């Protein structure tokens, strides 16, 4: 999901919810706080990490379930790349890989880890240098995580026991959204060739012009997206529909933009969101994408991609707290935050 596209102007409106105060006997415990850097225009963020003592920068990417290291970075670090992981990594360009490497010391803020990491099938760059990898849900979902895009902070908390009472920064309004996700990754550090981890994608119920979807939060993409099949089936939209804006091609199919009237999730409304509509190419270049046993027409990787994603065109205007254990997303406007709770040193 690396397609860049112009963003139509839109505004946000929050329902007038009151902000719950922290309970007297409940205290959030932050264990890690990392300062992020912009990854160029579009709102995406880079997270500084250290691999075997060498500073690197990873793209914050909740749209990916597994953290990745680029092949060029693995080569520069002298890491031994193996093939044949028990899982495969698929991307929206259709690529598939089972390649991985072992990282002896991965550090993010105060946290250290020793585990296997997938090798990305693509490379990327930012204005201040290459993107060395992706920081995904596998390295977040055992904690509560705060995304403060205005303050450029990524904060980790002990999974909270303060259900409904986690917004510590000043805000006049807050929305609370139930989320769907697989269980947090159990085997981090991985070991054993990356075997069968769970899915930590964050899915939120949204309404788009009266139609409901479970949309995936994707901080790794500058734009919100919809699959071309969904756009045609649900809204009758194609690249030739009135108002469609051509944005090039992907996999030989047309990519286009469309401005919807509104997008709503719980107390948040996005007026006139610009959505990039593109073909679902997941698995299209996967040599192991065989025909399903229950169908002669469908293939194993068909239908894996989400119908709708919310990219940084939407998310950069929000301040998010993801309570993975509680399966709740707390969000407010992305105003300047108050001082955060003191972070304690921790190991994952």
């Amino acid at each position: 999901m690396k397609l860049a596209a112009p963003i139509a102007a839109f505004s946000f409106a929050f329902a007038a919810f009151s902000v719950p105060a922290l309970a007297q006997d409940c205290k959030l415990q932050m264990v890690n706080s990392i300062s992020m850097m912009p990854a160029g225009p579009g709102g995406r963020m880079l997270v500084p990490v250290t691999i075997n003592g060498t500073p690197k920068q990873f793209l914050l990417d909740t749209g990916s379930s597994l953290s990745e290291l680029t092949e060029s970075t693995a080569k520069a670090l002298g890491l031994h790349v193996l093939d044949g992981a028990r899982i495969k990594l698929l991307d929206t360009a259709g690529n598939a890989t089972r390649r991985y490497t072992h990282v002896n010391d991965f550090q993010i803020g105060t946290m250290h880890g020793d585990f296997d990491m997938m090798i990305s099938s693509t490379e990327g760059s930012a204005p201040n240098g290459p993107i060395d990898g992706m920081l995904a849900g596998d390295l977040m979902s055992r904690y509560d995580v705060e995304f403060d895009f205005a303050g450029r902070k990524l904060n980790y908390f002990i999974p909270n026991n303060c259900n409904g009472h986690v917004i510590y920064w000043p805000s006049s309004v807050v929305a609370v959204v139930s989320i769907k996700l697989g269980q947090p990754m159990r085997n981090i550090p991985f070991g054993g060739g990356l075997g069968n981890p769970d899915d930590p994608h964050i899915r939120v119920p949204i309404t788009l012009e009266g139609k409901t979807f479970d949309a995936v939060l994707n901080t790794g993409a500058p734009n919100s997206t919809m699959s071309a099949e969904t756009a045609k089936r649900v809204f009758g939209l194609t690249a030739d529909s009135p108002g469609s804006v051509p944005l090039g091609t992907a996999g030989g199919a047309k990519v286009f933009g469309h401005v919807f009237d509104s997008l709503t999730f719980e107390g948040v409304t996005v007026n006139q969101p610009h959505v990039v509509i593109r073909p679902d190419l997941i698995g299209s270049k996967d040599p192991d994408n065989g025909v399903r046993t229950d169908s002669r027409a469908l293939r194993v990787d068909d239908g894996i991609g989400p119908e709708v994603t919310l990219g940084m065109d939407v998310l950069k205007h929000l301040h998010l707290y993801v309570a993975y254990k509680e399966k709740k997303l707390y969000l407010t406007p992305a105003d300047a935050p108050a001082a955060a709770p003191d972070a304690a040193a921790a190991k994952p």
Side-chain angles (χ1 to χ4, degrees), residues 16 27-28 41 54 70 77 111 180 212 251 259 262 286 313 329:
K27 183 178 181 181
L28 294 177
T54 302
T70 65
L77 292 171
M111 294 177 173
K180 297 178 182 179
T212 58
V259 178
S262 65
D286 180 7
D313 55 341
L329 173 68

Side-chain angles (χ1 to χ4, degrees), residues 3-71:
L3 176 66
I7 304 300
F10 56 79
S11 60
F12 283 76
F14 272 73
F17 293 110
S18 61
V19 179
L22 285 175
Q24 293 296 322
D25 58 348
C26 180
K27 183 178 181 181
L28 294 177
Q29 185 178 354
M30 182 187 290
V31 294
N32 201 6
S33 181
I34 304 102
S35 295
M36 300 187 291
M37 303 167 288
R44 297 188 302 169
M45 290 289 172
L46 295 172
V47 180
V49 303
T50 301
I51 300 176
N52 296 345
T54 302
K56 296 294 178 183
Q57 54 184 14
F58 274 33
L59 182 70
L60 181 69
D61 188 7
T62 59
S64 180
S65 58
L66 293 174
S67 297
E68 312 164 34
L69 190 64
T70 65
E71 186 163 6

